[in-house]
Amino acid sequence: MPRTAAAPDAAPARSRPLRRPLALGAAALALVLSLVAGLTTNAPTVWGLLPIALYAVLALTGLDLVLVTGIALVSAVLVALPTPGQAGDVLGTSVTDPVTVIGLIIVLGSAAGEVLLRTGVADTLVRAIMRTAEGRGTTVLMYGMMAACMVLVAGLGTLAGALAIAAPLLVPVAARAGFTRSATAATMFLGGCAGLALAPFAGSNIAIMNTADTGYLTYVAVGAGPLAVLSLLLAAVVVPWVQRRSAAQGDHYRPEEVTEERQAEPTPREAARTRRATWTFVAALAATVCYATATKADTTFPLIALPLLIVVTAAAAGLSPKRAAAAVLTGARRMLPMLLLFWMLAALFGFIDLLHPYDVVLDRFGPGLRDMSPVPFALAVAALGWVGVPGATAAQVILIGEVFGPLGDQLGITPAAWVVILLWASKADTYGPLPNANMVGAMGMARATRLPYLLGTGWALLVPACALYAVLLILIL
């Protein structure tokens, strides 16, 4: 078993020492080309697209995304060669740019997640759902496990962190019910990914709503909602299939894994505080989402909602101001590099705007584009999900919006259609066609070792979801 798990990691480990110098060498050449373009051309120029192309290529090589964004930003500056006043204006404006705001939302979301961990709310949510589902048959239990993962991921806005909390509670229950490792992993994967699509304050989802210029209700109605419903429906077929196949191969948990690891029993007072904090969090989350939907609040609303959730949850749990602040700082500190990344990304687009590359593209291709059907364009952009920016779906959404937004506007792509395009472009690679970190993460949490079953689970959702979203785009456009 260890040899099987180690094999996929061995090749990247050997190629990384060679890949990094090659990528940095290519970046150096691109920066030289950027300077030459800056010295020999004036705005408007199509050379303004060079930094975006450099960003996409370097991101796909696996370099750290903060470094990649920094290199692309330098490239944009070299092509634009702005005056000190222009550079100061762009850098200053980018601090309050919607792209930077998304980075700040990611930081606040991480802080809120840490508070849910410290207060025991995350643990309580999973236990409450499983108490309702356990003992009511395997189908109900499967949907209970999916619901637990979905709710926790939607609340925390992160897949890996939420599954890490849920797995120690779900695995013993699944093992006692006779679920195999692979079936447990498939259940957690489908539920968790559906929750990530629905998460109201997840950075990538905020980026989709911001880029599409729409609210949460539209986002759920045409984007995340159909994906979540499809996940729930297909689970009734996919998980039993995985269960039968993996059970025939002896993929069961060992007897010692059936016993849940017991933690120290909380005092009645602590248990009451945790329950109160859980109900407070659920009520506050529902209220903020309903308010944002009813008032059509813009995408900066999480800057108010997330601190509110932090404060009311910590207060209901009786967390002292010092411990609450420590939790917030711990969670926020993990995502500070993302804030820097998104600020640099905002500045990158600011310098590109000085070059007006899209004016050149639209002047050259605009008349022909007006005669093009919007559906093929929409499907082609959505398909870019298979050539995504690893580890940064929010940045990928912003990049796609920046590159294809002007062309889409020429073709009459509506906000609802952009939701479908951007959601599928950013989340399609979660389900395939190749193995990915989300699949491997769910396997690790469920202690599973047979990757083909997770890959099959992803494909079982990927194919009908592609058809579903294609039909939606045809109907919308």
Side-chain angles (χ1 to χ4, degrees):
M1 245 174 247
R3 286 194 300 272
T4 304
D9 297 329
R14 287 193 298 270
S15 63
R16 194 175 296 119
L18 179 62
R19 186 193 305 169
R20 183 180 176 86
L22 287 176
L24 292 177
L29 290 176
L31 292 179
V32 172
L33 180 60
S34 300
L35 180 59
V36 172
L39 293 171
T40 57
T41 61
N42 296 310
T45 173
V46 76
W47 282 104
L49 298 177
L50 175 62
I52 291 180
L54 179 62
Y55 182 94
V57 171
L58 291 179
L60 291 172
T61 66
L63 285 179
D64 179 78
L65 282 173
V66 176
L67 174 61
V68 167
T69 310
I71 293 172
L73 175 58
V74 172
S75 171
V77 172
L78 292 176
V79 176
L81 291 178
T83 64
Q86 287 177 317
D89 288 342
V90 170
L91 294 175
T93 303
S94 63
V95 173
T96 56
D97 189 271
V99 174
T100 307
V101 170
I102 292 171
L104 183 56
I105 290 170
I106 292 174
V107 172
L108 290 174
S110 180
E114 187 65 27
V115 170
L116 295 185
L117 292 178
R118 300 282 182 96
T119 56
V121 169
D123 181 90
T124 302
L125 284 172
V126 176
R127 290 183 185 275
I129 294 171
M130 295 313 297
R131 275 198 301 268
T132 303
E134 198 171 5
R136 296 177 179 268
T138 55
T139 300
V140 175
L141 180 60
M142 177 196 72
Y143 279 113
M145 293 167 61
M146 284 188 68
C149 294
M150 188 184 300
V151 169
L152 199 58
V153 172
L156 294 179
T158 169
L159 182 67
L163 293 187
I165 298 166
L169 304 173
L170 299 182
V171 167
V173 175
R176 286 195 295 269
F179 277 73
T180 63
R181 300 168 187 266
S182 297
T184 303
T187 303
M188 294 171 59
F189 175 74
L190 289 174
C193 291
L196 189 61
L198 291 167
F201 302 131
S204 59
N205 300 343
I206 293 293
I208 291 171
M209 289 181 273
N210 179 72
T211 304
D213 192 23
T214 190
Y216 185 69
L217 184 61
T218 301
Y219 169 77
V220 171
V222 300
L227 182 61
V229 171
L230 189 62
S231 300
L232 293 171
L233 293 176
L234 289 178
V237 177
V238 175
V239 174
W241 177 84
V242 173
Q243 173 72 20
R244 289 192 301 272
R245 293 297 185 93
S246 57
Q249 297 180 349
D251 191 31
H252 293 285
Y253 290 97
R254 297 189 302 273
E256 60 268 24
E257 293 176 295
V258 177
T259 304
E260 183 178 343
E261 295 180 9
R262 296 289 178 182
Q263 299 178 347
E265 287 293 329
T267 65
R269 186 177 181 183
E270 291 173 340
R273 283 180 173 177
T274 302
R275 284 195 300 271
R276 184 170 64 245
T278 302
W279 281 110
T280 301
F281 168 75
V282 170
L285 178 62
T288 54
V289 172
C290 289
Y291 176 83
T293 302
T295 62
K296 298 182 180 179
D298 61 25
T299 50
T300 61
F301 179 69
L303 296 178
I304 300 172
L306 287 169
L308 176 64
L309 291 174
I310 290 171
V311 170
V312 299
T313 304
L319 214 61
S320 68
K322 183 177 180 180
R323 291 180 60 195
V328 169
L329 290 175
T330 299
R333 189 163 50 238
R334 285 196 293 265
M335 289 297 171
L336 286 179
M338 292 299 291
L339 179 58
L340 175 62
L341 184 154
F342 280 91
W343 173 73
M344 289 193 297
L345 204 56
L348 166 64
F349 296 141
F351 285 113
I352 289 173
D353 285 343
L354 296 178
L355 297 164
H356 304 291
Y358 301 111
D359 292 351
V360 179
V361 174
L362 291 175
D363 286 343
R364 186 170 302 175
F365 301 106
L369 284 172
R370 292 188 186 94
D371 298 328
M372 177 183 177
S373 173
V375 175
F377 172 85
L379 293 175
V381 176
L384 289 174
W386 283 287
V387 194
V389 180
T393 52
Q396 179 181 332
V397 166
I398 294 167
L399 193 64
I400 290 174
E402 181 72 16
V403 173
F404 297 101
L407 303 180
D409 292 341
Q410 288 283 318
L411 294 174
I413 302 295
T414 64
W418 272 121
V419 168
V420 176
I421 294 168
L422 295 171
L423 183 135
W424 200 234
S426 62
K427 300 191 188 302
D429 58 349
T430 297
Y431 301 100
L434 301 174
N436 56 70
N438 289 333
M439 289 182 186
V440 175
M443 285 177 56
M445 303 300 177
R447 308 173 197 175
T449 57
R450 291 174 167 86
L451 182 59
Y453 287 119
L454 260 292
L455 196 56
T457 299
W459 269 93
L461 185 66
L462 181 66
V463 174
C466 283
L468 172 65
Y469 282 124
V471 170
L472 281 173
L473 283 173
I474 292 171
L475 293 175
I476 291 171
L477 296 173

